[in-house]
Amino acid sequence: MQSTAWYTSLVLILLLSAIFIFVLRRSRDSGDAAEVARRAYAPRSKLFALALAAGVIITVVTLLPWPHQLQAGAGIDRVVEATARQWSWSLSEDRAQVGERIEFKVSSEDVNHGFALYDPDMQLVTQIQAMPGYINRLQHTFEKPGEYRILCLEYCGLAHHAMTASFTVSPN
Ligand code: CUA
């Protein structure tokens, strides 16, 4: 994501520089300043329409997974309640199937903990805070089967490191 943003910026910077250089060279060719200005500003309305269209398209595409709809729990196949306490996890269910949309409702009975989901290769997949008095909702669709691990990602006392649980994802 960051490298995409970087390359996009780079391309836009180069494009803008090219336009400046082009305009500068053109302005040297002609002695008539008014004519140069007229030609330079001519594509302005087309560029504006282009930028407007691009803005609308980017907005629509990036908002397709509409956040409010996700919030309302649309398209959830399975809800798993995950409650943290010093120093263990209690899960209402500990298995799911590949392709199911899971909503983890994460809370804590005592202090703040971190709910972190790791795949079978121990790569962090997704995470959310577990807080007393709050239910934080984390949605995830498992794409590969296997034995996932839930670890605590926030230091919560002496046996913080022992706060683990497993979550089994079976092929569908
Ligand atoms: Cu719970 Cu660290």
Side-chain angles (χ1 to χ4, degrees):
M1 187 65 200
Q2 247 176 344
S3 62
T4 310
W6 159 242
Y7 286 120
T8 308
S9 307
L10 196 66
V11 166
L12 290 177
I13 289 166
L14 289 175
L15 193 69
L16 210 60
S17 308
I19 292 171
F20 271 115
I21 291 166
F22 174 76
V23 170
L24 191 70
R25 293 183 74 133
R26 288 291 287 266
S27 70
R28 284 200 188 118
D29 293 346
S30 166
D32 185 354
E35 174 60 15
V36 170
R38 197 194 61 74
R39 266 190 293 163
Y41 284 120
R44 207 161 48 158
S45 54
K46 268 183 204 155
L47 284 177
F48 177 75
L50 207 67
L52 192 68
V56 169
I57 289 167
I58 289 167
T59 305
V60 168
V61 168
T62 55
L63 282 179
L64 270 184
W66 192 240
H68 299 88
Q69 209 167 4
L70 294 178
Q71 201 86 56
I76 299 299
D77 298 311
R78 192 186 293 270
V79 174
V80 177
E81 280 165 30
T83 310
R85 72 179 68 84
Q86 288 164 316
W87 288 279
S88 64
W89 292 102
S90 146
L91 304 173
S92 64
E93 283 186 69
D94 62 359
R95 52 196 64 243
Q97 283 189 344
V98 165
E100 278 184 324
R101 186 98 187 130
I102 312 293
E103 181 174 88
F104 292 97
K105 287 185 165 178
V106 181
S107 190
S108 167
E109 286 181 359
D110 38 44
V111 299
N112 272 23
H113 300 267
F115 176 94
L117 191 67
Y118 288 80
D119 73 8
D121 303 321
M122 286 311 279
Q123 295 290 309
L124 180 63
V125 176
T126 182
Q127 62 95 25
I128 199 167
Q129 281 290 112
M131 299 149 73
Y134 293 87
I135 294 170
N136 290 332
R137 300 200 285 187
L138 178 68
Q139 293 173 2
H140 185 68
T141 304
F142 290 94
E143 268 146 29
K144 54 178 181 179
E147 194 77 13
Y148 286 69
R149 302 290 297 166
I150 295 160
L151 306 187
C152 184
L153 209 62
E154 176 153 333
Y155 184 70
C156 55
L158 213 59
H160 154 76
H161 62 279
M163 249 183 102
T164 71
S166 71
F167 195 84
T168 309
V169 178
S170 51
N172 58 4

